[in-house]
Amino acid sequence: KDGTIQVDVNGVPLQAYTNEDIESFARAWTGFDRTAARGNIEQISRGSTDNRLDPMQVVPDWRDPFPKSNLDGGFIGDKYELCVDVNYKSFLKKGAHYRLLGGSSSPEMTKDPSYFSDPANSVLRAELDPTSALYLRLYNGGDYELDVLLENDMTCTGIECNVDTLRVVKVGNVYYEFVEKPCIQLAFYRDAKRIQGRDNRKQGQMCANPDLPHAREACCRGERYREVRSASTSYLYDGERMTFSTAAERCGSLCMFENVNNENWWKKGYHWTPKDCSILVKINSEGYIAIVHDTDVAYINTIPYHVQEESTLNWFRVFWDVDGVYPGSSDSNNCAANNCKAMNDGSCLCKTSVTESPVFSDTSAISVTEVLSQLFIGASGPPPGSVGTDIGNGVIVYKLDSIVDERSVFEASDDKGRVFFLKNVRSTVNIEGWEGKIPEIYEAEDATTYNVTVKSSSSATGGKYIDYDLESYLEWNVAVNTPGTYKLSFRYALDSHPRPLSIFVNSVEVTKEAANPTIPVVYYGGSPSADKFPLQRCEGDCDNDNHCADGLFCKQNNALEENPGCEIGSGNSRDYCVDPLDYTHGVLFYPTGGWSSDWLNTDPIEIYLAAGQNTIRAQVPVGYKDGPNIDHMKLGGITAELLQPASFRNPPHFMSLIPDYSPYGVGEMNLRDALYETDAVLDHYFYQDNVAPFLCTRMIQRFGMSNPSPRYVEACSTAFKSGTYSSGSASFGSGEYGSLEAMVAAIVLDNEATSSSVSMDPGHGSVKEPILKVLALMRSMEYQTKIPDTL
């Protein structure tokens, strides 16, 4: 704080920043572009009409969305609130921000497809109830304000009660855009769900946080193949986003759909599916990481490149809990030793898990420095119902049930006057491997086969797949070094009702328990009366899935197949409603929407393998005429601990990783969050500890003192940070950090600037800068530049 250069134990000056810091902050300045030319600017450079006069604009799609480390061993976004804590109905909370759009309904801080702004297209916007408190505040008696900040929490009315968030609202004859407050997402999270676009052949199949409103609903029942082919929607306004739980509640059932109905296709975007999704991590030799989303690939290259296992090059720095210890950090601590996958680029691909734990459990001796250096997740304020206790040292802790745990919030102020509310929790990413076997793909066409047909498809991983027939099977030979439990799944395609396959491991059948007890069938005749619908489990005769209750499908019997969960043998050609969960075979395959291009992975089942060679057979059950089309089998170990435990603090980021795609305006990378991140970077520069002594030293030198004393610099720095400076009875400054008035007053009114005795010191005064010395010499010599005629 006094401008003295800090040194290490060997007397070597400490670096304020490194090349790694420069690289990290450079990524924060990606995405800037020149604005379009204006009519009153005539400058054209090299044929370009770009505007070189006005400030540059941010193009969100060009912005690097990944976490960025700061200069303090943390990340840009530290101490901001989590979006999962902010988002739910935040549009009704105190401080909610609305911007007047006027007669246009197109948002400016987020983005809608361009089709929404075409007058020829009918777009449904959220129209507020004229009696709602939100409407009355925005309407303001017809005197519309450019910016509105809600003064109090409001109660919902009408559509406000049925949505998770708002984007653009209609108030009278004008539109307002709701602008969410700054918040951060964590790069890794639990219970991730897969999202995908309106068509499962399009890029955009990736993981999403189920607690954030980042996708839409797609209503369909997974056991009904006609619904899988074309899911329906029930959004309340065009472009609506919702959380996974809201989508599931609104639909009643979500499924892995092939398409969302194509009516007004340009209104569709990302949609939730019930499929679990895993977030993996790639780690390079320097300890930098890249995020990988591990999910099904329904067609070809449908996972976005920036989170795809092979293609992602988006490395960023994290701070390992044990410095220098991570998979791949040494020859002995390599990928294989940690049961991680060795990638072609030399990096390690590993599994992850996320844990949240309280940082402090005892508040007897906690300092402000400890709170500010160990708590990184912000809070809006004290938790509702908590009791605050001033524990001294400038720290207040707010507790629930008189316990200091992960629900507690600490209040503390830094030396720059900022007040922070911080959650007493640390989110940690733990690195894990696969026990016994890295996940490996076994192509169906490479298996030993019986009575199957090999067919070609460009979307199959090996270019081929297997079409089952009566009593057919596939059998693979699998070698493992370690006996134990392994996870088995299949990539398949199926465009009919659910079908099972029997799984045999070393000739022993793998079965599972039925979800329901077996009950007798009830037959109402070939055409049941209307009062019998919907038919319940084991009731018939049904003609299609719509005759059955939710969760059931109409089992079209071919006189050979069983009716799961029903007391009836083969040979009965009547059709009954059955529960697919009553199949006891090894694996049940749900409809995917196609036979050769709409691929899905089954949920993994656990099997036991012996050390050495094993056989795995997938066979059409006795009495069944065929099965799903199989692309490949996938086999991998269960979760394993590392050779040397490795973990890091979960890094935050402002920008969503969900990219845009046609019809362009459906992703979550938006201008609002890019600007918030830019503001956070500028704030980090501004509040960095070196700023005050750096500015003070430079300003004092410009005022004629090349060698200010440490005391002089510290006095100036204190004035800059506190925002006040007093001299005699006079006081200067705004009282806020960064006050230039207080800083300049501290410079010009200090004893070193005003005392005549100081001028007697040989070290006092100003030395000209080298360039000024040279210029002065040249002027004294009456130097003139002569340009050679030969140039």
Side-chain angles (χ1 to χ4, degrees):
K1 62 183 180 181
D2 64 3
T4 302
I5 295 177
Q6 301 296 297
V7 297
D8 61 18
V9 294
N10 298 316
V12 178
L14 296 175
Q15 293 180 316
Y17 55 86
T18 64
N19 285 337
E20 288 79 8
D21 296 318
I22 295 173
E23 292 173 1
S24 178
F25 280 102
R27 295 191 296 110
W29 298 104
T30 54
F32 282 87
D33 191 23
R34 294 188 179 92
T35 56
R38 291 192 277 120
N40 59 344
I41 300 178
E42 298 180 358
Q43 176 185 358
I44 297 178
S45 175
R46 293 190 297 274
S48 171
T49 58
D50 289 341
N51 182 337
R52 295 174 179 267
L53 180 64
D54 293 329
M56 300 180 76
Q57 62 181 348
V58 179
V59 182
D61 297 334
W62 297 359
R63 186 62 165 253
D64 184 315
F66 292 93
K68 302 163 181 71
S69 58
N70 62 25
L71 297 174
D72 301 327
F75 297 92
I76 299 300
D78 281 347
K79 296 182 174 58
Y80 280 79
E81 292 179 67
L82 293 175
C83 294
V84 294
D85 294 338
V86 168
N87 281 149
Y88 183 69
K89 295 197 182 300
S90 57
F91 59 88
L92 292 173
K93 305 297 183 184
K94 179 180 178 179
H97 179 201
Y98 290 84
R99 297 177 68 251
L100 180 65
L101 298 174
S104 170
S105 67
S106 296
E108 296 174 352
M109 302 302 287
T110 56
K111 187 167 61 172
D112 279 338
S114 59
Y115 297 91
F116 280 36
S117 59
D118 187 342
N121 295 323
S122 176
V123 177
L124 177 64
R125 293 296 188 187
E127 188 165 356
L128 301 182
D129 188 314
T131 65
S132 80
L134 179 59
Y135 179 97
L136 295 174
R137 176 63 186 89
L138 296 177
Y139 184 66
N140 197 34
D143 185 15
Y144 299 110
E145 301 175 29
L146 293 178
D147 284 275
V148 176
L149 295 177
L150 299 188
E151 294 82 5
N152 302 287
D153 291 351
M154 294 186 172
T155 303
C156 67
T157 303
I159 190 175
E160 303 160 16
C161 301
N162 300 318
V163 298
D164 287 341
T165 188
L166 292 174
R167 292 167 63 83
V168 173
V169 296
K170 186 176 182 182
V171 180
N173 294 320
V174 303
Y175 296 90
Y176 274 93
E177 178 182 10
F178 169 62
V179 184
E180 187 62 271
K181 65 189 293 188
C183 62
I184 50 105
Q185 304 173 42
L186 295 180
F188 298 84
Y189 42 89
R190 294 193 294 256
D191 303 321
K193 293 294 183 181
R194 166 177 158 156
I195 58 173
Q196 65 181 47
R198 68 179 189 278
D199 182 338
N200 68 3
R201 294 193 178 196
K202 293 187 174 297
Q203 193 176 70
Q205 293 165 7
M206 62 186 301
C207 303
N209 190 330
D211 297 324
L212 289 175
H214 279 174
R216 301 157 171 80
E217 80 289 17
C219 305
C220 53
R221 288 165 285 192
E223 69 276 3
R224 303 190 178 187
Y225 68 96
R226 288 185 176 88
E227 293 185 15
V228 170
R229 289 176 183 170
S230 182
S232 62
T233 56
S234 60
Y235 47 79
L236 300 184
Y237 62 87
D238 288 333
E240 182 186 4
R241 270 75 158 172
M242 63 194 72
T243 62
F244 174 80
S245 60
T246 297
E249 179 181 357
R250 189 176 294 182
C251 288
S253 179
L254 303 173
C255 80
M256 295 298 300
F257 59 88
E258 178 191 10
N259 287 288
V260 177
N261 64 74
N262 284 324
E263 181 182 0
N264 295 329
W265 64 270
W266 45 272
K267 292 186 178 183
K268 310 302 187 295
Y270 284 94
H271 299 265
W272 290 107
T273 75
K275 191 76 171 179
D276 292 335
C277 189
S278 299
I279 303 179
L280 309 181
V281 62
K282 283 170 65 173
I283 309 168
N284 68 15
S285 60
E286 297 178 341
Y288 279 50
I289 71 166
I291 295 171
V292 172
H293 287 190
D294 182 24
T295 187
D296 300 353
V297 179
Y299 191 56
I300 302 172
N301 296 329
T302 52
I303 298 178
Y305 296 123
H306 66 292
V307 290
Q308 201 274 334
E309 177 180 316
E310 296 289 347
S311 61
T312 180
L313 297 175
N314 295 281
W315 304 100
F316 60 90
R317 180 167 55 166
V318 294
F319 301 97
W320 296 93
D321 290 337
V322 179
D323 190 30
V325 176
Y326 49 85
S329 59
S330 66
D331 291 340
S332 59
N333 195 36
N334 56 28
C335 303
N338 289 283
N339 299 305
C340 293
K341 180 179 179 180
M343 305 296 291
N344 292 331
D345 60 3
S347 63
C348 299
L349 179 70
C350 305
K351 299 175 67 175
T352 66
S353 65
V354 178
T355 56
E356 274 89 31
S357 56
V359 177
F360 300 111
S361 58
D362 180 9
T363 60
S364 58
I366 299 177
S367 66
V368 170
T369 301
E370 288 175 309
V371 169
L372 296 179
S373 63
Q374 297 184 50
L375 300 182
F376 302 100
I377 298 176
S380 60
S386 64
V387 176
T389 302
D390 189 338
I391 61 175
N393 302 320
V395 177
I396 300 175
V397 59
Y398 297 91
K399 296 177 285 187
L400 292 167
D401 303 323
S402 302
I403 300 173
V404 179
D405 57 15
E406 65 276 3
R407 301 172 300 167
S408 303
V409 170
F410 284 78
E411 179 184 353
S413 302
D414 65 5
D415 61 349
K416 302 171 182 68
R418 294 179 294 176
V419 179
F420 295 98
F421 290 92
L422 301 170
K423 297 176 69 174
N424 181 37
V425 66
R426 185 188 198 265
S427 179
T428 302
V429 181
N430 306 290
I431 308 302
E432 300 169 336
W434 289 271
E435 184 70 47
K437 189 176 185 63
I438 305 299
E440 183 177 354
I441 287 175
Y442 296 82
E443 294 293 348
E445 61 270 22
D446 296 334
T448 300
T449 64
Y450 172 75
N451 198 30
V452 302
T453 303
V454 179
K455 296 184 177 180
S456 298
S457 172
S458 60
S459 59
T461 52
K464 297 178 181 180
Y465 66 93
I466 293 299
D467 186 355
Y468 275 102
D469 207 336
L470 185 67
E471 298 181 356
S472 56
Y473 67 78
L474 303 175
E475 186 172 282
W476 293 268
N477 291 314
V478 175
V480 296
N481 295 324
T482 306
T485 301
Y486 292 80
K487 290 190 174 183
L488 173 72
S489 62
F490 296 90
R491 189 176 192 240
Y492 73 100
L494 176 63
D495 193 23
S496 71
H497 56 72
R499 295 183 181 180
L501 285 180
S502 296
I503 304 299
F504 296 86
V505 178
N506 298 324
S507 301
V508 177
E509 184 173 6
V510 177
T511 60
K512 58 186 178 183
E513 293 290 329
N516 303 290
T518 301
I519 60 175
V521 297
V522 178
Y523 183 63
Y524 294 117
S527 299
S529 58
D531 64 306
K532 304 300 182 184
F533 295 111
L535 298 175
Q536 302 302 309
R537 190 166 68 92
C538 297
E539 293 182 351
D541 188 296
C542 57
D543 294 326
N544 57 64
D545 293 339
N546 290 331
H547 286 171
C548 302
D550 285 346
L552 310 177
F553 72 96
C554 183
K555 179 70 173 62
Q556 301 290 319
N557 211 314
N558 65 357
L560 296 174
E561 300 175 2
E562 63 181 323
N563 289 277
C566 305
E567 289 182 357
I568 183 171
S570 62
N572 190 318
S573 60
R574 294 167 181 169
D575 305 326
Y576 295 94
C577 296
V578 300
D579 186 341
L581 298 179
D582 286 335
Y583 280 106
T584 59
H585 304 85
V587 177
L588 180 64
F589 298 80
Y590 283 85
T592 69
W595 288 108
S596 60
S597 59
D598 301 293
W599 304 99
L600 285 180
N601 288 352
T602 61
D603 291 333
I605 63 170
E606 292 188 351
I607 61 173
Y608 181 86
L609 297 179
Q613 289 292 328
N614 298 264
T615 60
I616 299 176
R617 175 180 290 195
Q619 180 174 316
V620 173
V622 175
Y624 285 74
K625 63 180 180 179
D626 55 18
N629 290 342
I630 300 295
D631 178 18
H632 66 238
M633 177 183 76
K634 187 176 183 180
L635 183 69
I638 59 175
T639 299
E641 295 182 356
L642 300 187
L643 175 67
Q644 294 180 269
S647 60
F648 54 83
R649 179 164 68 85
N650 204 348
H653 57 100
F654 284 91
M655 298 283 291
S656 171
L657 302 186
I658 302 175
D660 211 354
Y661 75 93
S662 175
Y664 301 108
V666 301
E668 298 303 309
M669 296 180 179
N670 55 57
L671 176 63
R672 176 198 66 203
D673 295 337
L675 295 179
Y676 285 155
E677 183 181 65
T678 302
D679 288 341
V681 171
L682 293 174
D683 283 346
H684 182 68
Y685 292 158
F686 184 51
Y687 287 104
Q688 216 277 332
D689 287 337
N690 281 333
V691 168
F694 177 86
L695 288 178
C696 283
T697 301
R698 298 303 180 273
M699 289 291 287
I700 292 172
Q701 289 173 340
R702 296 309 180 274
F703 274 87
M705 287 153 279
S706 294
N707 260 329
S709 69
R711 184 211 57 80
Y712 191 7
V713 173
E714 182 175 356
C716 174
S717 298
T718 301
F720 181 86
K721 290 191 290 185
S722 66
T724 60
Y725 182 78
S726 298
S727 179
S729 60
S731 181
F732 305 89
S734 62
E736 297 180 354
Y737 174 87
S739 172
L740 293 181
E741 178 185 338
M743 183 183 76
V744 172
I747 293 172
V748 299
L749 298 177
D750 190 86
N751 285 338
E752 287 193 33
T754 59
S755 175
S756 58
S757 62
V758 177
S759 61
M760 304 300 294
D761 185 348
H764 181 72
S766 176
V767 177
K768 284 187 177 181
E769 298 176 30
I771 185 63
L772 296 180
K773 288 183 179 181
V774 173
L775 289 175
L777 174 64
M778 295 173 70
R779 286 171 179 163
S780 68
M781 301 296 292
E782 298 184 353
Y783 173 82
Q784 292 184 353
T785 301
K786 182 177 181 181
I787 301 175
D789 297 334
T790 56
L791 291 180

